[in-house]
């Protein structure tokens, strides 16, 4: 990983709180002064939130000043935050304004603002009574604040009030109650975990908190997705999901903790700064209190008082007093029902555990393990919990033989519950414990070959595919291949599956060949059927459908002969998909449904998941999109769950179906409820499908992040259905961002991956995007008068059209009914080609009709926009063009397809076509038109305007209030973006666009 930065450059996860503060700032003029108390534990992001708001408020024209409290022995520094705030104001105001507004308050505070002021202050400071002095000071501060607010809205921020002195608290109270109608926003931050119940909490957070002008914002931890975004900013790169999970679970969403954990991700201990923060309260405890905390930390879970009593070295009244002390100091809390004790924050437990010396720590874990072995009822209750607890304690105690056996039990318990990440961890611990043990250890209920086989399966299902390959190879070394051929064949089959997941294709088919060589054709066996079925699945996923069909038929014959129904269903499922892909829709869908019935009957989780996922896929593939969407939605209506093994994988395909149908809100709702975990390395699909509504609704940054995550998770998966699909989505995103050349590179990569495969659906989608990229590039070159090889572009486009028509024709030539979607894609390609030659509205209307037949409103709206564009360019049938514009606009608005909506509206503005809800036709300024035509930012349009007027860099700098160097950089970037040789050619483009 890269080194990253010390903190995230962008604020993450506080949109609601920022919007709240923005709204309160905007309402100051009408509603008068407001005080906001921003609360949260240490590190939760209060200061970061305030800093972001400070910038936004200043951009909105507000004056913002900040004062910070600092901790000191015996209480906070007298008026510390007020002093800091006045200094901040003095730096921002002009000297005469500072002398008029700030220095009087500074003098009343006794500050050395100038020699002259000090001489004037001396008598007052020496003889004024304390009460009068405070009144004068507060009135002086009030006058200053009101005077500032009369000039502009004013924001005063008091940070870390848990350390505030009483004077500052009274000042804030006074201002809150007396600023009244003036536009002043007071923001006070404090740590909820360090309010000690004294003056600060009593006056400010109790009495003042009840004032009608005071509101509260309580910051909670970030959620997992926000932590992922936060870590990307911290590390300056996309974090892997394992790091995100680790940091999220250990930090519980606290940004400061997450940042420290990310910085220390390669270390074996927690960072010192973090340890100091969370150790303060523990260090204040008595020896007995620290002992109780150490036991609770070693326990690792809410601890029963009886278990604490069994392990503690103190008892009776001393133990009760120690527990009470830890609770009073808010290190421990009593859980709901008062039955157990737990830490107020997970990291407090972690630091408390780390603070115990290694020998003492091991002894505590040993005592806990012994107590739980003798009295299992003292531990956590739940499926597999006892095994997991014992495994952890024996591991931490360094009792390796016991750790091995209990880790195996914990792994098997987790696997039984289908929680494979936990199973994987325990298998790995068992393997490591065996290495440490001074004696040979063997599993109690299974041999080493089986143990490693199951460990490999758990690693694969967790996404640790590289490790799953290693474990499968180790399992083979532990097996007697000559004598135990069936198990060895199963292990080679698993090795092939795992190797395919990491892209080791030579190892994949070599392993399948070895597996088959170990199993005789006669007599047939379930093991042989399993090998053939798994090989067929890999061929199918590689889009080699014809080879996969042959292998499926072999597998089904063998499975039926030996009565292996689950393998029969497995191979039938794969065969059904392949038949649909080759055009035999009815038979293929029937086979997938039959496979689903078998999987449900035999309650086989993996095959249930595959069958539901493949059923949604094949239904959508043949245009039965409503049925594809209903598979998941009906499953949920019947009481299913989105994390249910039956529905999660299918949910992604159902969401795609909903997107095609134009039910985008339903699709996003469905996607928001799905899990991002899939078997093996299939997690990429969750992020890939989520990118589609994001890019079509104009959330380009979000789509880019999702695709980057998908790309990282699909490393090694170099198939058209995986990597090729991601290239397809990336190409569409780049086209929406008006980057056709970059989109074309993605198209080329997808087509390279798809070369030689039997897949037609994805390749048809890709060539349609390729045609759009070719046309966009050519038209952009014409608009900017760049040279381009028109003949080459037209030959490329013609080839794409022939490919698309060939895909649609091949479906029919195999004896199948026409595939509506392939027909629509072919029609789209013919229409896109016409943009290079002579815009043909009829081709676009034909394509729109084809998409209507597929019940896909988004591409139909796109085609109607293009049809209107062609009619208007030809200056014919204006009435028909208006109808097409209106139809495209209504659909884009209803979908929330903002990029398409904006394109339709720009066309309407140019053609002076009033939209249905508009009283007058929208208009575009020359600058807006240039920005859209040339793909320029507003600032670049301003620079191009100056170039069109013949201005020099110095003149541009003076006109735009920027430095000459910045102006020069803008000009250079503009020349590069317009792909012209010099500023004269750039100026000509600007003049042609009407900017001069």
């Amino acid at each position: 990983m890269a080194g990253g930065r010390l903190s995230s450059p962008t604020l993450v996860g506080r949109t609601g709180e920022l919007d709240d503060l923005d709204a309160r700032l905007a309402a100051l003029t009408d509603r008068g002064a407001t005080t906001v108390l921003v609360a949260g534990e240490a590190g939760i992001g209060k200061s970061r939130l305030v800093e972001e708001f400070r910038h936004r408020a200043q951009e909105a024209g507000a004056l913002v000043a900040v004062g910070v409290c600092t901790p000191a022995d015996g209480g906070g520094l007298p008026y510390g935050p007020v002093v800091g705030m006045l200094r901040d104001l003095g730096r921002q105001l002009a000297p005469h304004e500072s002398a008029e507004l700030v220095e009087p308050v500074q003098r009343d505070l006794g500050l050395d603002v100038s020699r002259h002021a000090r001489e004037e202050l001396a008598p007052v400071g020496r003889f004024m009574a304390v009460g009068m002095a405070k009144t004068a000071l507060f009135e002086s501060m009030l006058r200053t604040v009101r005077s500032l607010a009369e000039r502009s809205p004013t924001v005063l921020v008091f940070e870390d009030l848990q350390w505030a002195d009483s004077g500052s608290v009274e000042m804030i109270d006074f201002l809150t109650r007396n600023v009244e109608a003036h536009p002043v926003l007071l923001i006070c931050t404090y740590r909820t975990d360090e309010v000690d119940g004294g003056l600060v909490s009593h006056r400010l957070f109790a009495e003042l908190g009840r004032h009608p002008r005071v509101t509260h914002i309580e910051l909670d931890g970030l959620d997992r997705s926000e932590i992922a975004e936060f870590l990307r900013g911290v590390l300056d790169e996309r974090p892997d999901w394992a790091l995100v999970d680790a940091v999220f679970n250990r930090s519980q969403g606290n940004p400061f903790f997450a940042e420290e954990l990310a910085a220390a991700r390669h270390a074996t201990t927690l960072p010192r700064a973090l340890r100091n923060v969370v150790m303060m309260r523990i260090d204040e405890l008595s020896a007995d209190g620290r002992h109780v905390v150490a036991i609770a930390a070693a326990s690792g879970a809410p601890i029963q008082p009886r278990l604490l009593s069994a392990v503690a070295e103190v008892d009776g009244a001393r133990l009760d007093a120690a527990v009470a002390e830890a609770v009073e100091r808010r290190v421990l809390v009593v859980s709901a029902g008062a039955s157990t004790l737990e830490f107020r924050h997970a990291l407090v437990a972690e630091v408390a555990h780390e603070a115990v010396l290694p020998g003492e720590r091991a002894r505590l874990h040993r005592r806990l393990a012994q107590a739980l072995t003798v009295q299992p009822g003292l531990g956590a209750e739940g499926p597999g919990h006892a095994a997991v607890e014992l495994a952890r304690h024996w591991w931490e105690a360094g009792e390796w033989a016991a750790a091995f056996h209990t880790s195996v039990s914990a792994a098997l318990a987790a696997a039984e519950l289908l929680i494979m990440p936990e199973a994987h961890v325990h298998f790995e611990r068992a393997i490591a414990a065996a290495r440490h043990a001074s004696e040979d250890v063997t599993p109690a209920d299974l041999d080493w070959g089986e143990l490693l086989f199951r460990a490999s399966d758990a690693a694969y299902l967790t996404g640790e595919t590289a490790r799953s390959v290693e474990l499968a190879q180790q399992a083979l070394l532990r097996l007697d291949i000559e004598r135990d051929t069936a198990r060895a064949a199963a292990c080679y089959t698993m090795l092939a599956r795992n190797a395919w997941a990491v892209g080791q294709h030579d190892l994949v088919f070599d392993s399948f060949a070895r597996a088959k060589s170990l199993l005789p054709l006669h007599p047939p066996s379930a093991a042989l059927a399993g090998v053939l079925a798994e090989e067929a699945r890999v061929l199918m996923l590689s889009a080699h459908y014809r080879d996969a069909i042959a292998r499926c038929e072999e597998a089904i014959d063998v499975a039926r002969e030996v009565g292996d129904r689950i393998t029969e269903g497995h191979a039938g499922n794969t065969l059904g998909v392949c038949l649909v892909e080759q055009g035999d829709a009815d038979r293929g869908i029937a086979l997938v449904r039959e496979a689903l019935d078998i999987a449900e009957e035999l309650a086989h989780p993996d095959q249930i998941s595959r069958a539901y996922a493949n059923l949604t896929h094949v239904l959508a593939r043949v245009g039965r999109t409503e049925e594809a969407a209903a598979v998941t939605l009906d499953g949920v209506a019947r009481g299913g769950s989105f994390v249910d093994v039956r529905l999660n994988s299918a949910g992604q395909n159902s969401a795609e179906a909903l997107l095609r149908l134009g039910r985008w809100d339903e699709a996003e709702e469905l996607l928001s409820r799905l899990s991002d975990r899939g078997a093996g390395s299939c997690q990429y699909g969750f992020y890939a499908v989520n990118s589609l509504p994001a890019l079509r609704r104009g959330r380009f940054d979000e789509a880019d992040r999702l695709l980057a995550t998908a790309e990282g998770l699909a490393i090694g998966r170099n198939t058209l259905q995986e990597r090729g699909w991601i290239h397809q989505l990336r190409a569409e995103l780049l086209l929406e961002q008006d980057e056709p050349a970059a989109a074309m590179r993605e198209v080329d990569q997808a087509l390279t991956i798809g070369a030689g495969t039997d897949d037609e659906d994805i390749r048809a989608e890709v060539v349609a995007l390729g045609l759009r990229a070719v046309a966009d590039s050519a038209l952009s070159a014409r608009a900017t008068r760049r040279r381009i090889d028109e003949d080459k572009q037209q030959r490329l486009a013609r080839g794409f059209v022939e490919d698309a028509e060939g895909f649609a024709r091949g479906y029919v030539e195999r004896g199948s009914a026409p595939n509506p979607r392939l027909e629509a894609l072919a029609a789209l390609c013919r229409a896109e080609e016409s943009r290079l030659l002579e815009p043909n509205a009829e081709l676009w209307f034909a394509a729109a009709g084809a998409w209507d037949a597929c019940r896909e409103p988004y591409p139909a709206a796109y085609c109607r926009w293009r049809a209107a564009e062609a009619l208007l360019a030809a200056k014919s049938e204006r009435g028909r063009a208006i109808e097409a514009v209106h139809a495209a606009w209504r659909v884009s608005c209803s979908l929330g397809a903002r990029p398409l909506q904006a394109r339709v509206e720009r066309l309407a503005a140019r053609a002076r076509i009033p939209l249905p809800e508009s009283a007058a036709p929208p208009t575009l300024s020359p600058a807006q038109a240039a920005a859209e035509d040339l793909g320029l930012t507003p600032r670049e349009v301003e620079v191009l305007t100056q170039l069109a007027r013949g201005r020099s860099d110095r003149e541009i700098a003076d006109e735009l209030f920027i430095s000459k160097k910045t102006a020069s950089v803008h000009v250079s970037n503009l020349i590069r973006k317009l792909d012209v040789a010099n500023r004269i050619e750039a100026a000509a483009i600007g003049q042609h666009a009407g900017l001069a």
Side-chain angles (χ1 to χ4, degrees), residues 5 14 28 249 292 312 425 514 528 532 553 702 747 762:
R5 48 172 69 87
R14 304 300 184 199
L28 290 178
N249 290 332
V292 165
V425 169
R514 288 176 180 272
L528 177 60
L532 294 169
E553 290 170 343
E702 178 187 342
V747 167
I762 294 179

Side-chain angles (χ1 to χ4, degrees), residues 109 141 184 212 371 461 503 550 554 754 796 818 969:
L109 282 167
M141 186 69 178
V184 177
L461 294 172
E554 292 179 56
L796 181 58
V969 170

Side-chain angles (χ1 to χ4, degrees), residues 767-784:
V767 298
L769 291 171
L771 258 166
R772 179 177 168 185
V774 170
D776 284 357
S777 293
L779 295 179
S780 173
R782 292 173 190 171
T784 57

Side-chain angles (χ1 to χ4, degrees), residues 317-362:
R318 283 180 60 190
L319 180 59
D320 291 342
V323 171
E325 180 189 20
V327 171
E328 182 181 351
R329 299 303 301 169
R330 298 187 65 204
V331 176
L332 298 177
V333 296
V334 180
S335 62
S339 58
T340 59
L341 294 166
E342 56 187 296
F343 285 89
R344 67 175 178 84
H345 195 288
L347 272 173
V348 179
E350 189 173 342
V351 172
H353 191 230
E354 184 186 284
V356 180
L357 293 174
E360 174 69 8
R361 190 185 310 153

Side-chain angles (χ1 to χ4, degrees), residues 224-455:
R224 185 188 180 281
S225 63
E226 290 165 345
I227 284 291
E229 184 180 355
F230 178 82
L231 290 178
R232 182 170 185 176
V234 170
L235 302 176
D236 205 20
E237 64 181 17
R238 180 187 57 79
D240 61 69
W241 72 264
L243 177 62
V244 172
D245 273 0
V247 170
F248 176 67
N249 290 332
R250 295 173 79 193
S251 70
Q252 294 187 356
N254 184 300
F256 170 73
F257 294 165
E259 187 176 306
E260 292 293 332
L261 289 167
R265 61 195 181 279
H266 303 306
T268 57
T269 59
L270 285 171
R272 182 176 297 277
L274 180 57
R275 183 185 181 280
N276 290 342
V277 169
V278 298
M279 272 298 292
M280 287 191 296
R281 291 199 177 276
I282 297 174
D283 288 340
E284 294 173 350
L285 298 175
S286 65
D288 286 351
R290 291 195 297 273
H291 178 59
V292 165
V293 168
I295 296 170
S299 174
I303 187 169
Q304 292 188 30
R306 288 195 301 144
L307 179 58
L308 181 62
S309 179
V311 176
E313 296 174 352
V314 296
D315 55 17
R318 283 180 60 190
L319 180 59
D320 291 342
V323 171
E325 180 189 20
V327 171
E328 182 181 351
R329 299 303 301 169
R330 298 187 65 204
V331 176
L332 298 177
V333 296
V334 180
S335 62
S339 58
T340 59
L341 294 166
E342 56 187 296
F343 285 89
R344 67 175 178 84
H345 195 288
L347 272 173
V348 179
E350 189 173 342
V351 172
H353 191 230
E354 184 186 284
V356 180
L357 293 174
E360 174 69 8
R361 190 185 310 153
R363 189 170 65 82
L364 288 175
H365 281 288
R366 189 178 300 109
R367 288 172 65 86
L368 282 163
Q370 291 167 341
L372 291 172
T373 300
V374 174
Q375 301 182 70
L378 297 180
E381 296 180 357
H385 289 186
V388 170
E389 273 197 318
L390 276 176
R392 175 177 176 269
H393 292 313
W394 285 126
W395 173 270
E396 295 290 347
E399 298 285 351
W400 302 120
F404 170 78
H405 291 293
T406 52
S407 293
V408 171
S409 298
L412 295 177
E416 181 90 13
L417 297 167
L418 299 177
I419 48 174
M420 304 314 292
E422 288 77 9
H424 172 57
V425 169
H426 291 301
F427 276 126
E428 292 287 12
R429 280 199 168 181
I431 294 166
R435 288 198 304 268
H436 290 304
S438 57
E439 57 187 276
D440 288 337
V441 290
T442 56
D445 299 321
L446 65 169
D447 60 29
W448 265 102
E450 183 68 16
L451 172 64
L452 290 165
F453 181 90
R454 294 195 183 194

Side-chain angles (χ1 to χ4, degrees), residues 712-728:
L713 291 170
I715 289 175
R717 308 296 289 260
N718 201 36
T719 70
L720 187 62
Q721 294 181 30
E722 296 156 316
R723 180 69 61 177
W725 180 37
I726 295 172
H727 285 308
Q728 173 196 327

